[in-house]
Amino acid sequence: MKVSFDFDCTLGEDIIQNKARILMSSTSPCDVYIITARCEKDYNKDLHSVAIKLGIPVENIYFTEGAWKWQTIKML
């Protein structure tokens, strides 16, 4: 199963990070993605540090550059 999280006010929060950890370590682990409307060239050190802490691969991070996130979700 694939599960995606927005970052700001979602995966950026400890309680949601705990939920992601549970999903990733269950007996049937989920592929976790970060889909954010942020621009890739902007400051994203906070986002990348959470991804590293959780073990989310960089190829599972999608920046929509301000576009609707549903298009990326549909693609995945």
Side-chain angles (χ1 to χ4, degrees):
M1 179 185 323
K2 295 178 181 178
V3 177
S4 63
F5 292 93
D6 183 29
F7 185 76
D8 295 301
C9 299
T10 309
L11 196 59
E13 305 298 321
D14 291 336
I15 193 166
I16 306 300
Q17 291 172 30
N18 290 334
K19 181 64 175 174
R21 268 191 210 94
I22 292 167
L23 291 169
M24 294 171 72
S25 65
S26 68
T27 55
S28 244
C30 297
D31 293 324
V32 174
Y33 294 80
I34 299 172
I35 303 172
T36 179
R38 289 182 176 195
C39 295
E40 190 168 6
K41 293 181 180 179
D42 288 350
Y43 175 85
N44 290 302
K45 187 174 182 177
D46 56 342
L47 184 150
H48 287 290
S49 68
V50 168
I52 289 166
K53 179 170 74 171
L54 295 175
I56 299 171
V58 70
E59 56 269 7
N60 286 13
I61 302 172
Y62 290 84
F63 296 91
T64 68
E65 308 291 326
W68 292 104
K69 290 176 236 158
W70 70 264
Q71 296 167 328
T72 302
I73 293 168
K74 186 176 176 181
M75 176 199 61
L76 293 170

